[in-house]
Amino acid sequence: MSVIPRKPKAPPATSPHDPRYYDARDLEAELRRAFQICHECRMCVNYCGSFPELFNRVDKAIDSGRAEGAELIDDADIKAVSDACWQCKLCYIKCPYTPDEGSSELLDFPRLMARERANRAARDGIPLVDRILGEPQAIGAVGGGVMAPLSNFVLASSLVRKVQEKVTGISAEFPLPPMAGETFSAWLTDHAPAENAGKHGEVVLFATCYGEYNVPSVVRATVRVLEHNGVRVRFPGVGEDHGASLTCCGMPNLDGGDVKAATEKIRHNVELLLPHVRAGRSIVVPGPTCGYTMKKEWAEYLPTPEAKEVAAATVDLMEFLVKLGREKKLVREFPEKLGTIAYHAACHLRAQKVGFPGARVLGVVPDTDVRVIEQCSAVDGTWGMKAANYETGRRYAQKLVRGVSDVEPDMVVSDCSLAALRVEKETGKHVLHPIEALARAYGLLPAEGAEPTTKGERA
């Protein structure tokens, strides 16, 4: 047996505000302890590339007679394991050694990998690919609107994408999202709320960068469905909430280890959302990655009472609709049926431990059969977009692809719009967000597509 103790002497440093967080010796000791536990357990071998990498490297050291366990792992081993982690969080959900399970080992593998990347970024700098992918709101602001036709022309050019891959490290093969000709906030500025909006209260919407700049059809459908159910939508930066606008949730920065940039974004968003929370409004989020980050990570990186208050008020969009259903406030008149739905249960939704609220809501629609597919897309934020990871991600996503094809669905649905890009490329099937499917069932959108769109937006 290895001489590495399984139980930590003190709770591990999971927050950058812990003075041990950037201590290289403390981090190395914690990595070795975690690697030892995982090597002995091996439950997560099929979840991502990190665990096979970890097991192989520790096994080689043991087989050579140099080690009894993970005590001799070095920087190359650590980097290989960390680089293979795409932060899907599934290992944490299943792990029997986490704080959530009451285990004395206090293992949190995803946060440990995030800590490793933050330390590496502080030591070596942030790679160009992570600096680019870490700022989706800046890319959207520059490439959307009047620039959308040019941006989408560039995105559609295989030659330009190959050059881009060489320069930036962003895969030429990954189907990057289009830029919208009209942002969500521009649409909302001119939108006239439905007559009964507000009957059942108000919410504040966190539209996500993807919803604001790339596929506003998702958040437009969000507004229409919520208003149809008597809920008024507030949005910082528009209408009576004019002034500063929300920015990115910070997750893309965390993917690259840029803790400072992520924390600045979190602080900005908390300041804008806090007045809404204190006015009694829930924060509804249509994207599971953003929702997970807001619920689980914001108060770690910004450990203030205000951040905790905002995190506690954050709710997944479809989770909010389930709540309306429990309160007998969900409209249950559906002029359109949806048929057989292949519903992709996104990893970051599963990590929130709220079940599959999108599947539950769509299951209420008559003549609708929802088949849940619990497989990973291996995109998970920015990881799957990188050239270095594209083929690995594609290989790991094949269980999801086969799951969708086996259902032979009339409709494919995923809460995660980035996972949808992978599924669309691999299957050729159009993927809707569950809120778009629900809007269609309500007759709020044309049956043949999500809604009429401008050039550069998803149909």
Side-chain angles (χ1 to χ4, degrees):
M1 294 293 293
S2 170
V3 296
I4 299 174
R6 290 175 63 96
K7 297 178 183 179
K9 294 179 180 179
T14 58
S15 167
H17 297 275
D18 188 310
R20 299 169 297 157
Y21 194 81
Y22 289 104
D23 184 306
R25 280 188 170 183
D26 185 85
L27 173 60
E28 185 176 276
E30 181 57 22
L31 284 163
R32 285 177 172 167
R33 187 182 74 87
F35 283 20
Q36 184 64 39
I37 294 171
C38 293
H39 183 262
E40 292 173 1
C41 174
R42 297 184 179 244
M43 179 183 290
C44 298
V45 65
N46 293 320
Y47 285 170
C48 73
S50 283
F51 295 100
E53 193 73 52
L54 186 162
F55 302 150
N56 288 338
R57 287 173 179 266
V58 176
D59 285 343
K60 284 181 180 178
I62 294 173
D63 292 344
S64 70
R66 296 184 299 110
E68 295 178 343
E71 65 269 20
L72 294 184
I73 62 165
D74 57 22
D75 288 345
D77 298 324
I78 292 168
K79 184 178 185 300
V81 173
S82 180
D83 284 347
C85 170
W86 54 74
Q87 288 289 331
C88 68
K89 319 294 185 185
L90 293 186
C91 63
Y92 188 88
I93 298 173
K94 299 293 185 180
C95 181
Y97 304 114
T98 66
D100 287 0
E101 296 296 328
S103 171
S104 58
E105 279 87 350
L106 299 177
L107 181 61
D108 188 334
F109 196 85
R111 281 211 173 112
L112 181 58
M113 292 298 98
R115 181 185 175 191
E116 191 284 325
R117 288 182 190 174
N119 274 258
R120 197 192 320 170
R123 183 182 68 241
D124 303 334
I126 300 165
L128 177 62
V129 64
D130 288 311
R131 281 187 275 139
I132 295 171
L133 293 175
E135 303 298 333
Q137 80 295 334
I139 295 171
V142 171
V146 295
M147 294 299 293
L150 177 60
S151 299
N152 292 327
F153 174 79
V154 170
L155 289 173
S157 170
S158 59
L159 177 61
V160 173
R161 289 290 304 276
K162 287 177 181 177
V163 173
Q164 169 198 270
E165 178 178 307
K166 294 291 186 183
V167 175
T168 67
I170 299 171
S171 172
E173 297 299 323
F174 188 86
L176 294 176
M179 293 294 176
E182 181 184 46
T183 62
F184 168 68
S185 55
W187 174 84
L188 189 62
T189 299
D190 296 329
H191 171 71
E195 187 175 340
N196 70 331
K199 175 184 176 183
H200 294 315
E202 296 182 335
V203 297
V204 57
L205 175 64
F206 190 91
T208 78
C209 298
Y210 196 88
E212 171 69 10
Y213 297 109
N214 300 106
V215 185
S217 59
V218 171
V219 273
R220 286 197 292 258
T222 298
V223 172
R224 290 186 172 116
V225 168
L226 289 174
E227 289 182 351
H228 186 68
N229 282 279
V231 179
R232 187 175 176 224
V233 176
R234 304 281 291 271
F235 188 64
V238 173
E240 63 193 282
D241 301 304
H242 63 86
S245 300
L246 296 167
T247 190
C248 177
C249 69
M251 179 282 299
N253 293 125
L254 297 179
D255 274 354
D258 193 346
V259 170
K260 180 181 177 182
T263 304
E264 289 173 353
K265 290 181 174 70
I266 294 167
R267 181 177 290 107
H268 172 86
N269 288 329
V270 166
E271 288 176 357
L272 292 183
L273 291 169
L274 187 63
H276 290 279
V277 172
R278 290 184 172 170
R281 301 181 190 104
S282 295
I283 306 164
V284 296
V285 188
T289 299
C290 300
Y292 177 90
T293 303
M294 295 165 72
K295 288 181 178 181
K296 305 290 187 179
E297 305 291 3
W298 276 15
E300 287 286 328
Y301 289 89
L302 185 67
T304 65
E306 293 80 9
K308 291 180 181 178
E309 201 173 338
V310 168
T314 300
V315 61
D316 176 78
L317 168 62
M318 303 310 291
E319 182 187 5
F320 180 81
L321 290 169
V322 168
K323 177 175 176 287
L324 285 184
R326 285 199 302 265
E327 296 170 350
K328 310 299 182 185
K329 297 175 182 177
L330 185 74
V331 175
R332 293 174 180 263
E333 297 173 1
F334 302 99
E336 302 290 339
K337 63 181 181 180
L338 300 176
T340 300
I341 296 176
Y343 174 86
H344 167 231
C347 298
H348 291 159
L349 180 68
R350 294 160 67 187
Q352 294 179 45
K353 298 184 178 180
V354 295
F356 310 127
R360 288 181 63 184
V361 174
L362 294 178
V364 174
V365 180
D367 299 316
T368 298
D369 179 18
V370 182
R371 312 281 183 86
V372 177
I373 303 167
E374 296 184 61
Q375 299 293 346
C376 184
S377 69
V379 178
D380 293 274
T382 64
W383 188 92
M385 297 182 181
K386 298 176 183 178
N389 302 330
Y390 178 75
E391 287 301 331
T392 299
R394 184 173 180 269
R395 186 173 71 252
Y396 270 88
Q398 290 311 301
K399 288 183 181 179
L400 169 59
V401 172
R402 289 194 295 271
V404 170
S405 298
D406 289 348
V407 170
E408 298 182 353
D410 298 304
M411 178 184 295
V412 183
V413 166
S414 176
D415 297 85
C416 179
S417 296
L418 291 178
L421 296 173
R422 172 88 77 191
V423 174
E424 287 184 356
K425 177 161 185 176
E426 294 294 325
T427 67
K429 298 180 184 295
H430 182 57
V431 182
L432 295 175
H433 189 283
I435 200 70
E436 294 177 292
L438 188 61
R440 182 183 295 184
Y442 278 137
L444 301 175
L445 302 179
E448 67 276 7
E451 67 172 53
T453 59
T454 58
K455 186 175 181 181
E457 297 171 16
R458 195 172 77 189

